[in-house]
Amino acid sequence: MPATWRHLGNSDAEWILCSSHLFAHHARFSGPARAAAKYVYAYTPARYIWNPELDKRGSSLPARAVSVPLKRIDRKRAQEPHAIAAISNFVRDRIKENWGRDSTVIYPPVDVEGFISESDELSEREQKLLATLPDTFVLGASRFIPYKRLDLVIDMGIAADLDVVIAGDGPLLGELQYKALEHPRRVTFVRRPSHALLRALYIRSLFYMFPPVEDFGIMPVEAMATGTPVVASAIGGASETVQHGKTGVLLENFSADELREAAKTVTTMKPADCVSRAWAFDRSSFAKEISGWVGS
């Protein structure tokens, strides 16, 4: 990939905008555009190279071996951009540490309006499914993969004596179903929900739980857009979107006592505060900020 991005052909572009989570910021054209100002919107420096503890792709022996020269190349080419924008302060710190560059924080666009408005209707099957769910439950929703830590959502249900709904799909379905046996008949799995059903689940839930350490984390913002508070990790992007004590609870640890206390605290929060907070991350805010950044 680094070699591919260096040979993009001839162009007379006056400036270049790269959207990069691996090596797109290495982009180079021939012709007049070779000297064009390059702007990089960075989701993160390649995690399996710089932070293999966050990405298992970087844990193998071949990956560790190739990371040494790739780090050198990556850091060198990260000096080329005229300016860099990061998706969160969490990523900004990583860019500074790994690339030796400062950056501007511009949060990614979230379809806040799409979760506030009732633009999509539930199918008949989805309506029936929704009717079978308990009146009160904690919601976990994401891909079923290890770092999403959906097992902690089940732990929350056990600690707070709450029913649990887990929405999504992925390779850990079997493991999560086995984990659910610790909370008999209290955990429901909703596989591959549509946008409309996910929105309905956010609204119906007592709160949305988001345990992973993410670079940003769009789903907590979606939940707040529906007026639903969030319990999330105090580390990572969610700590920048969820307002502790106002639109959710941020946890340093996930012990049974802390989970139980968080479940009590989050029920005191106002839906209007959640919606107001979510608007700060709407697509319209992103469009304004990134246009201003490139324009300046």
Side-chain angles (χ1 to χ4, degrees):
M1 286 181 67
T4 299
W5 286 117
R6 298 303 274 183
H7 302 92
L8 295 179
N10 188 65
S11 174
D12 59 358
E14 295 179 1
W15 54 274
I16 302 162
L17 176 60
C18 307
S19 177
S20 180
H21 79 285
L22 288 176
F23 301 112
H25 59 285
H26 293 199
R28 186 176 68 183
F29 293 87
S30 56
R34 182 158 183 159
K38 181 163 63 175
Y39 298 83
V40 172
Y41 187 69
Y43 295 89
T44 179
R47 293 197 296 185
Y48 67 87
I49 293 173
W50 293 101
N51 300 95
E53 72 280 3
L54 299 177
D55 193 324
K56 289 188 175 182
R57 289 178 298 176
S59 61
S60 68
L61 184 60
R64 291 200 301 270
V66 77
S67 70
V68 176
L70 279 178
K71 280 183 180 179
R72 183 169 59 252
I73 293 170
D74 198 46
R75 187 180 179 93
K76 179 181 179 181
R77 292 179 180 169
Q79 309 312 306
E80 296 175 352
H82 175 72
I84 300 173
I87 66 169
S88 64
N89 284 295
F90 187 55
V91 171
R92 181 188 183 189
D93 291 342
R94 195 182 299 160
I95 288 172
K96 193 166 188 177
E97 178 182 354
N98 296 339
W99 290 348
R101 291 287 306 267
D102 197 8
S103 55
T104 299
V105 175
I106 300 177
Y107 293 113
V110 182
D111 184 18
V112 172
E113 186 174 1
F115 279 89
I116 289 177
S117 63
E118 299 182 45
S119 55
D120 296 325
E121 293 184 1
L122 293 171
S123 68
E124 184 177 347
R125 182 190 66 82
E126 290 172 333
Q127 291 175 14
K128 289 179 178 179
L129 186 153
L130 203 61
T132 66
L133 297 180
D135 293 333
T136 302
F137 61 85
V138 52
L139 174 66
S142 72
R143 290 175 292 154
F144 296 174
I145 54 178
Y147 89 90
K148 296 293 186 178
R149 296 307 312 271
L150 288 169
D151 57 300
L152 292 175
V153 183
I154 298 174
D155 286 343
M156 168 63 88
I158 295 170
D161 192 27
L162 289 169
D163 288 302
V164 174
V165 172
I166 296 182
D169 204 358
L172 287 192
L173 174 61
E175 290 185 28
L176 290 170
Q177 289 173 328
Y178 184 77
K179 170 76 174 177
L181 297 177
E182 298 177 18
H183 202 35
R185 297 178 297 279
R186 303 289 299 273
V187 182
T188 302
F189 290 88
V190 177
R191 298 181 67 181
R192 302 180 183 181
S194 65
H195 177 280
L197 181 55
L198 178 60
R199 179 180 179 276
L201 291 172
Y202 282 140
I203 294 171
R204 280 280 305 275
S205 66
L206 189 62
F207 58 90
Y208 172 62
M209 187 166 173
F210 188 75
V213 176
E214 285 279 15
D215 296 334
F216 176 69
I218 285 177
M219 296 187 82
V221 180
E222 293 175 349
M224 289 188 292
T226 67
T228 301
V230 178
V231 174
S233 172
I235 302 171
S239 68
E240 300 176 39
T241 58
V242 178
Q243 295 174 306
H244 182 69
K246 187 174 183 180
T247 68
V249 175
L250 299 172
L251 295 177
E252 297 284 350
N253 298 293
F254 292 86
S255 68
D257 287 342
E258 288 170 305
L259 291 173
R260 195 176 298 112
E261 187 61 32
K264 292 179 182 177
T265 302
V266 80
T267 58
T268 66
M269 293 167 190
K270 300 176 182 177
D273 288 337
C274 296
V275 175
S276 177
R277 179 58 176 165
W279 272 118
F281 306 96
D282 185 57
R283 290 172 173 175
S284 58
S285 297
F286 171 80
K288 182 178 180 180
E289 289 186 33
I290 202 154
S291 295
W293 174 62
V294 174
S296 65

